[in-house]
Amino acid sequence: MQQRLSRETLDVTLTGRALPFGRLHPLTQTAELIRETLIGMGYEFVEGPELEDYHYNFAVLNYPEDHPAMDEQNSFFITETKLLRTQTTAIQGRVMERRSPPFRIATIGRCFRYEAVDATHHHTFHQVDVFMVDEGMSMADLKGTLGTFARAMFGPNTQVRFRPDFFPFVEPGVDYAISWRMPDGNVRWLEIGGAGMIHPNILRRYGIDTERYTGFAFGLGVERIHMLRTGVDDLRLYLENDLRFLQQF
């Protein structure tokens, strides 16, 4: 008995083994920052299905059948009318058919496109989409909102630039870029997303008076935000579950 007690003696003064702590995925951290920022600006977050109807993903967003813009969104169709959503913008129709203006809506979720995977493209990615409909909304409101959002994401000195672009669900449409200071000290413009005034065809589809109400919308990739904030240069790293990468954040 004495020998056994001697062998099994536990020195309670020894330091115990530290248990490893889990942490939030870098994309989850970024999504929480986005939510905190937009909720502070008065936006309500909603969620939509990842398995979406063609009706909401394309038809109600002013995509004509066989329009060239469809070629930019090669899709994973599950049935003739069901597909994995290619954009979180699909939530617009689901909101407008149930609500009347004014409203401020934001959503974050996974999107899927049939893409060749490389450092800047992936078949699965995360997107934030924001839209607002109210009386008197203009491009000035859109630019002010994007400026506030960009400064919260990338720093207080960030500026926003608009250039004309085409998206079926906005008119006029723009791509927007932020001012970005390079390691050599020079400032350049870096395109990060698309935006514009919600197309009147979409508002009229849901009985919204376009003489009284206008709206704006913008979206961008969650991965893109984190990559710019941290210097990550390969999109594939976020979904490879490599702890050597994830533990840096």
Side-chain angles (χ1 to χ4, degrees):
M1 177 66 72
Q2 290 301 321
Q3 291 176 351
R4 183 178 177 186
L5 288 173
S6 177
R7 287 197 310 269
E8 297 179 1
T9 296
L10 176 65
D11 186 349
V12 296
T13 65
L14 291 175
T15 303
R17 293 191 181 121
L19 295 175
F21 286 96
R23 66 185 72 194
L24 295 176
H25 191 280
L27 295 183
T28 303
Q29 297 176 34
T30 306
E32 288 190 350
L33 174 62
I34 292 170
R35 286 191 179 92
E36 179 182 337
T37 301
L38 290 173
I39 289 172
M41 295 169 66
Y43 286 86
E44 173 191 354
F45 272 83
V46 300
E47 293 187 3
E50 293 181 351
L51 181 59
E52 189 56 277
D53 293 321
Y54 176 91
H55 174 74
Y56 292 110
N57 200 84
F58 292 120
V60 303
L61 293 178
N62 205 43
Y63 281 86
E65 291 287 344
D66 301 323
H67 193 280
M70 299 281 285
D71 296 338
E72 298 179 0
Q73 298 195 29
N74 297 326
S75 310
F76 292 104
F77 274 88
I78 307 304
T79 69
E80 290 293 322
T81 59
K82 292 280 191 180
L83 71 155
L84 297 179
R85 68 180 174 193
T86 63
Q87 53 193 354
T88 49
T89 314
I91 198 67
Q92 280 191 20
R94 292 183 175 275
V95 170
M96 292 185 190
E97 70 183 7
R98 292 178 172 85
R99 303 192 187 189
S100 298
F103 46 72
R104 301 182 184 189
I105 302 296
T107 187
I108 297 178
R110 287 191 300 179
C111 300
F112 310 85
R113 295 184 188 177
Y114 185 62
E115 296 269 12
V117 176
D118 58 29
T120 57
H121 299 84
H122 210 291
H123 54 69
T124 302
F125 59 97
H126 297 75
Q127 193 177 62
V128 54
D129 200 85
V130 181
F131 65 99
M132 177 178 182
V133 177
D134 203 342
E135 297 183 35
M137 292 293 99
S138 69
M139 290 290 283
D141 298 292
L142 171 59
K143 192 168 186 177
T145 301
L146 270 172
T148 301
F149 179 76
R151 285 186 285 275
M153 295 296 110
F154 307 113
N157 297 321
T158 304
Q159 296 180 319
V160 174
R161 182 192 68 182
F162 283 179
R163 293 189 304 180
D165 203 347
F166 171 77
F167 304 96
F169 39 86
V170 291
E171 178 58 42
V174 296
D175 70 50
Y176 60 94
I178 60 170
S179 57
W180 193 255
R181 185 171 296 278
M182 304 301 291
D184 59 9
N186 292 323
V187 176
R188 58 173 289 195
W189 292 102
L190 198 62
E191 181 184 340
I192 62 171
M197 301 302 293
I198 297 176
H199 201 292
N201 289 349
I202 297 176
L203 299 179
R204 282 193 288 264
R205 176 185 286 270
Y206 294 103
I208 297 173
D209 184 357
T210 56
E211 296 297 320
R212 179 181 178 186
Y213 293 106
T214 52
F216 62 76
F218 67 90
L220 71 159
V222 176
E223 288 89 345
R224 183 69 163 161
I225 294 175
H226 188 267
M227 291 171 80
L228 289 172
R229 286 170 58 88
T230 60
V232 174
D233 59 4
D234 194 326
L235 190 69
R236 294 168 290 191
L237 294 171
Y238 292 106
L239 299 182
E240 289 181 348
N241 297 322
D242 189 333
L243 289 178
R244 294 171 299 178
F245 170 73
L246 299 176
Q247 286 174 345
Q248 297 178 59
F249 309 105

Coordinates of all heavy atoms in Angstrom, one line a residue, residues 187-237:
V187 N -0.5 56.3 -52.5 CA -1.9 56.0 -52.4 C -2.5 55.6 -53.7 O -2.3 56.4 -54.7 CB -2.7 57.2 -51.7 CG1 -4.2 56.9 -51.7 CG2 -2.2 57.5 -50.4
R188 N -3.2 54.5 -53.8 CA -3.8 54.1 -55.0 C -5.3 53.7 -54.7 O -5.7 53.6 -53.6 CB -3.1 52.9 -55.6 CG -3.0 51.7 -54.7 CD -2.5 50.5 -55.4 NE -3.4 49.9 -56.4 CZ -3.3 48.7 -56.9 NH1 -2.3 48.0 -56.6 NH2 -4.2 48.3 -57.8
W189 N -6.1 53.6 -55.8 CA -7.5 53.2 -55.6 C -7.6 51.7 -55.8 O -7.1 51.2 -56.8 CB -8.3 54.0 -56.7 CG -8.4 55.4 -56.4 CD1 -7.8 56.4 -57.1 CD2 -9.2 56.1 -55.4 NE1 -8.1 57.6 -56.5 CE2 -9.0 57.5 -55.5 CE3 -10.1 55.6 -54.4 CZ2 -9.6 58.4 -54.7 CZ3 -10.7 56.6 -53.6 CH2 -10.5 57.9 -53.8
L190 N -8.4 51.1 -55.0 CA -8.6 49.7 -55.0 C -10.1 49.4 -55.0 O -10.8 49.7 -54.1 CB -8.0 49.1 -53.7 CG -7.7 47.6 -53.7 CD1 -6.6 47.3 -54.7 CD2 -7.2 47.2 -52.3
E191 N -10.5 48.8 -56.1 CA -11.9 48.4 -56.3 C -12.3 47.3 -55.4 O -11.6 46.3 -55.3 CB -12.2 48.0 -57.8 CG -13.7 47.7 -58.0 CD -13.9 47.2 -59.4 OE1 -13.1 47.4 -60.3 OE2 -15.0 46.5 -59.6
I192 N -13.5 47.5 -54.7 CA -13.9 46.5 -53.7 C -15.3 46.0 -53.9 O -15.7 45.0 -53.2 CB -13.6 46.9 -52.2 CG1 -14.5 48.1 -51.9 CG2 -12.2 47.2 -52.0 CD1 -14.5 48.5 -50.5
G193 N -16.1 46.6 -54.7 CA -17.5 46.1 -54.8 C -18.3 46.9 -55.8 O -17.8 47.8 -56.5
G194 N -19.6 46.5 -55.9 CA -20.5 47.2 -56.7 C -21.7 47.8 -56.0 O -22.0 47.4 -54.9
A195 N -22.3 48.9 -56.6 CA -23.4 49.6 -55.9 C -24.2 50.3 -56.9 O -23.9 50.3 -58.1 CB -22.8 50.6 -54.9
G196 N -25.2 51.0 -56.4 CA -26.1 51.8 -57.3 C -27.4 52.0 -56.7 O -27.8 51.6 -55.6
M197 N -28.3 52.8 -57.5 CA -29.6 53.0 -57.1 C -30.5 51.9 -57.5 O -30.4 51.4 -58.7 CB -30.1 54.3 -57.7 CG -29.3 55.5 -57.3 SD -29.3 55.8 -55.5 CE -31.0 56.3 -55.2
I198 N -31.3 51.3 -56.6 CA -32.2 50.2 -57.0 C -33.0 50.5 -58.2 O -33.6 51.5 -58.3 CB -33.1 49.8 -55.8 CG1 -32.2 49.4 -54.6 CG2 -34.0 48.7 -56.2 CD1 -33.0 49.1 -53.3
H199 N -33.0 49.6 -59.2 CA -33.7 49.8 -60.5 C -35.2 50.0 -60.2 O -35.8 49.2 -59.5 CB -33.4 48.6 -61.4 CG -33.6 48.9 -62.8 ND1 -34.9 49.2 -63.4 CD2 -32.7 49.0 -63.9 CE1 -34.8 49.4 -64.7 NE2 -33.5 49.3 -65.0
P200 N -35.8 51.0 -60.9 CA -37.2 51.2 -60.7 C -38.1 50.0 -61.0 O -39.2 49.8 -60.5 CB -37.5 52.4 -61.6 CG -36.2 53.1 -61.8 CD -35.2 52.0 -61.7
N201 N -37.6 49.2 -62.0 CA -38.4 48.0 -62.3 C -38.6 47.0 -61.1 O -39.6 46.4 -61.0 CB -37.7 47.2 -63.4 CG -37.7 47.9 -64.8 OD1 -38.5 48.8 -64.9 ND2 -36.9 47.4 -65.7
I202 N -37.6 47.0 -60.3 CA -37.7 46.1 -59.1 C -38.7 46.7 -58.1 O -39.5 46.0 -57.5 CB -36.3 45.9 -58.4 CG1 -35.3 45.3 -59.4 CG2 -36.4 45.2 -57.1 CD1 -33.9 45.1 -58.8
L203 N -38.6 48.0 -57.9 CA -39.5 48.6 -57.0 C -41.0 48.5 -57.5 O -41.9 48.2 -56.7 CB -39.2 50.1 -56.8 CG -37.8 50.4 -56.2 CD1 -37.5 51.9 -56.1 CD2 -37.6 49.7 -54.8
R204 N -41.2 48.7 -58.8 CA -42.5 48.7 -59.3 C -43.1 47.3 -59.2 O -44.3 47.1 -59.1 CB -42.5 49.2 -60.8 CG -42.5 50.7 -60.9 CD -42.8 51.1 -62.3 NE -41.7 50.8 -63.2 CZ -40.7 51.7 -63.5 NH1 -40.8 52.9 -63.0 NH2 -39.8 51.4 -64.4
R205 N -42.2 46.3 -59.4 CA -42.7 44.9 -59.3 C -43.4 44.6 -58.0 O -44.4 43.8 -57.9 CB -41.5 43.9 -59.5 CG -41.9 42.4 -59.3 CD -40.6 41.6 -59.3 NE -40.1 41.5 -60.7 CZ -40.4 40.5 -61.5 NH1 -41.3 39.6 -61.2 NH2 -39.8 40.5 -62.7
Y206 N -43.0 45.3 -56.9 CA -43.6 45.0 -55.6 C -44.5 46.2 -55.2 O -44.8 46.3 -54.0 CB -42.5 44.8 -54.6 CG -41.7 43.5 -54.9 CD1 -40.4 43.6 -55.5 CD2 -42.3 42.3 -54.6 CE1 -39.8 42.4 -55.8 CE2 -41.6 41.1 -54.9 CZ -40.3 41.2 -55.5 OH -39.7 40.0 -55.8
G207 N -45.0 46.9 -56.2 CA -46.0 47.9 -55.9 C -45.5 49.2 -55.1 O -46.2 49.9 -54.5
I208 N -44.2 49.4 -55.2 CA -43.6 50.6 -54.5 C -43.6 51.8 -55.5 O -43.1 51.7 -56.6 CB -42.1 50.3 -54.0 CG1 -42.2 49.1 -53.0 CG2 -41.5 51.5 -53.4 CD1 -40.8 48.6 -52.6
D209 N -44.2 52.9 -55.0 CA -44.3 54.0 -55.9 C -43.0 54.7 -56.1 O -42.3 55.2 -55.2 CB -45.2 55.0 -55.1 CG -45.5 56.3 -56.0 OD1 -45.0 56.4 -57.1 OD2 -46.3 57.2 -55.5
T210 N -42.5 54.6 -57.4 CA -41.2 55.1 -57.7 C -41.1 56.6 -57.8 O -40.0 57.2 -57.9 CB -40.7 54.5 -59.0 OG1 -41.6 54.7 -60.1 CG2 -40.5 53.0 -58.9
E211 N -42.3 57.2 -57.8 CA -42.3 58.7 -57.8 C -42.1 59.2 -56.4 O -41.7 60.3 -56.2 CB -43.6 59.2 -58.3 CG -43.9 58.9 -59.8 CD -42.9 59.6 -60.7 OE1 -42.5 60.8 -60.4 OE2 -42.4 58.9 -61.6
R212 N -42.3 58.3 -55.4 CA -42.2 58.7 -54.0 C -40.9 58.1 -53.4 O -40.2 58.8 -52.6 CB -43.4 58.3 -53.2 CG -43.4 58.6 -51.7 CD -44.6 58.1 -51.0 NE -44.6 58.4 -49.6 CZ -45.5 58.0 -48.7 NH1 -46.5 57.3 -49.1 NH2 -45.3 58.2 -47.4
Y213 N -40.7 56.9 -53.7 CA -39.6 56.1 -53.0 C -38.4 55.8 -54.0 O -38.7 55.5 -55.2 CB -40.1 54.8 -52.4 CG -41.0 55.0 -51.3 CD1 -42.4 54.8 -51.4 CD2 -40.6 55.4 -50.0 CE1 -43.3 54.9 -50.4 CE2 -41.4 55.6 -49.0 CZ -42.8 55.3 -49.2 OH -43.7 55.5 -48.1
T214 N -37.2 55.9 -53.5 CA -36.1 55.5 -54.2 C -35.2 54.7 -53.2 O -35.4 54.8 -52.0 CB -35.2 56.6 -54.8 OG1 -35.0 57.6 -53.8 CG2 -35.9 57.3 -56.0
G215 N -34.2 54.0 -53.7 CA -33.4 53.2 -52.8 C -32.0 53.0 -53.4 O -31.8 53.2 -54.6
F216 N -31.1 52.6 -52.6 CA -29.7 52.2 -53.0 C -29.3 50.9 -52.5 O -29.9 50.4 -51.5 CB -28.7 53.3 -52.6 CG -28.5 53.5 -51.1 CD1 -27.8 52.6 -50.4 CD2 -29.0 54.7 -50.5 CE1 -27.6 52.8 -49.0 CE2 -28.9 54.9 -49.2 CZ -28.2 53.9 -48.4
A217 N -28.3 50.3 -53.1 CA -27.8 49.0 -52.6 C -26.3 48.9 -52.9 O -25.8 49.5 -53.9 CB -28.6 47.9 -53.4
F218 N -25.7 48.1 -52.1 CA -24.2 47.8 -52.4 C -23.9 46.5 -51.7 O -24.5 46.0 -50.8 CB -23.3 49.0 -51.8 CG -23.3 49.1 -50.3 CD1 -22.3 48.4 -49.6 CD2 -24.1 50.0 -49.7 CE1 -22.3 48.5 -48.2 CE2 -24.0 50.2 -48.3 CZ -23.1 49.4 -47.6
G219 N -22.8 45.9 -52.3 CA -22.4 44.6 -51.8 C -20.9 44.4 -52.0 O -20.3 45.0 -52.9
L220 N -20.3 43.6 -51.2 CA -18.9 43.2 -51.4 C -18.6 41.9 -50.6 O -19.4 41.5 -49.8 CB -18.0 44.3 -50.9 CG -17.8 44.6 -49.4 CD1 -16.5 45.3 -49.2 CD2 -19.0 45.4 -48.9
G221 N -17.4 41.3 -50.9 CA -17.1 40.1 -50.3 C -16.5 40.2 -48.9 O -15.7 41.1 -48.7
V222 N -16.9 39.4 -48.0 CA -16.4 39.4 -46.6 C -14.9 39.0 -46.6 O -14.1 39.6 -45.9 CB -17.2 38.4 -45.7 CG1 -16.6 38.4 -44.3 CG2 -18.6 38.9 -45.7
E223 N -14.5 38.0 -47.5 CA -13.1 37.7 -47.6 C -12.3 38.9 -48.0 O -11.2 39.1 -47.5 CB -12.9 36.5 -48.6 CG -13.4 35.2 -48.1 CD -14.9 34.9 -48.4 OE1 -15.6 35.9 -48.7 OE2 -15.3 33.8 -48.3
R224 N -12.8 39.6 -49.0 CA -12.1 40.8 -49.5 C -11.8 41.8 -48.4 O -10.7 42.3 -48.3 CB -12.9 41.4 -50.6 CG -12.3 42.6 -51.3 CD -11.1 42.2 -52.1 NE -10.8 43.2 -53.1 CZ -9.6 43.2 -53.7 NH1 -8.7 42.3 -53.4 NH2 -9.3 44.2 -54.6
I225 N -12.7 42.0 -47.5 CA -12.5 42.9 -46.4 C -11.4 42.5 -45.5 O -10.5 43.2 -45.2 CB -13.8 43.1 -45.6 CG1 -14.9 43.8 -46.4 CG2 -13.5 44.0 -44.3 CD1 -16.2 44.0 -45.7
H226 N -11.4 41.2 -45.1 CA -10.4 40.6 -44.3 C -9.0 40.6 -44.9 O -8.0 40.9 -44.3 CB -10.7 39.2 -43.8 CG -9.8 38.7 -42.7 ND1 -8.7 37.9 -43.1 CD2 -9.8 38.8 -41.4 CE1 -8.1 37.6 -41.9 NE2 -8.7 38.1 -40.9
M227 N -9.0 40.3 -46.2 CA -7.7 40.3 -47.0 C -7.1 41.7 -47.0 O -5.9 41.8 -46.8 CB -8.0 39.8 -48.4 CG -8.3 38.3 -48.5 SD -8.9 37.8 -50.1 CE -7.3 37.6 -50.9
L228 N -7.9 42.7 -47.2 CA -7.4 44.1 -47.2 C -6.9 44.5 -45.8 O -5.9 45.3 -45.6 CB -8.4 45.1 -47.7 CG -8.7 44.9 -49.2 CD1 -9.9 45.8 -49.6 CD2 -7.5 45.3 -50.0
R229 N -7.6 44.1 -44.8 CA -7.3 44.5 -43.4 C -6.0 43.8 -42.9 O -5.3 44.4 -42.0 CB -8.4 44.2 -42.4 CG -9.6 45.1 -42.6 CD -10.8 44.6 -41.8 NE -10.5 44.5 -40.4 CZ -10.7 45.4 -39.5 NH1 -11.1 46.6 -39.8 NH2 -10.4 45.2 -38.2
T230 N -5.7 42.6 -43.4 CA -4.6 41.8 -42.8 C -3.5 41.5 -43.8 O -2.5 41.0 -43.3 CB -5.2 40.5 -42.3 OG1 -5.8 39.8 -43.3 CG2 -6.2 40.8 -41.2
G231 N -3.7 41.7 -45.1 CA -2.6 41.4 -46.0 C -2.6 40.0 -46.5 O -1.7 39.6 -47.2
V232 N -3.7 39.2 -46.2 CA -3.8 37.8 -46.8 C -3.9 38.0 -48.3 O -4.7 38.8 -48.8 CB -5.0 37.1 -46.2 CG1 -5.2 35.8 -46.9 CG2 -4.9 36.9 -44.7
D233 N -3.2 37.1 -49.0 CA -3.2 37.2 -50.5 C -3.7 36.0 -51.3 O -3.6 35.9 -52.5 CB -1.8 37.6 -51.0 CG -0.7 36.5 -50.6 OD1 -1.2 35.5 -50.0 OD2 0.5 36.7 -50.9
D234 N -4.3 35.1 -50.5 CA -4.8 33.9 -51.2 C -6.2 33.5 -50.6 O -6.3 33.2 -49.4 CB -3.9 32.7 -51.0 CG -4.2 31.6 -52.0 OD1 -5.4 31.3 -52.3 OD2 -3.3 30.9 -52.4
L235 N -7.2 33.6 -51.4 CA -8.6 33.4 -51.0 C -8.8 32.0 -50.5 O -9.7 31.7 -49.6 CB -9.6 33.7 -52.1 CG -11.1 33.7 -51.9 CD1 -11.4 34.9 -51.0 CD2 -11.8 33.8 -53.2
R236 N -8.1 31.0 -51.0 CA -8.3 29.6 -50.7 C -7.9 29.3 -49.2 O -8.5 28.3 -48.7 CB -7.4 28.7 -51.6 CG -7.8 28.8 -53.1 CD -6.8 28.2 -54.0 NE -5.5 29.0 -54.0 CZ -4.6 28.8 -54.9 NH1 -4.7 27.8 -55.8 NH2 -3.5 29.6 -54.9
L237 N -7.1 30.1 -48.6 CA -6.7 29.8 -47.2 C -7.9 29.8 -46.2 O -7.8 29.1 -45.2 CB -5.7 30.8 -46.8 CG -4.3 30.8 -47.5 CD1 -3.5 32.0 -47.1 CD2 -3.6 29.5 -47.2

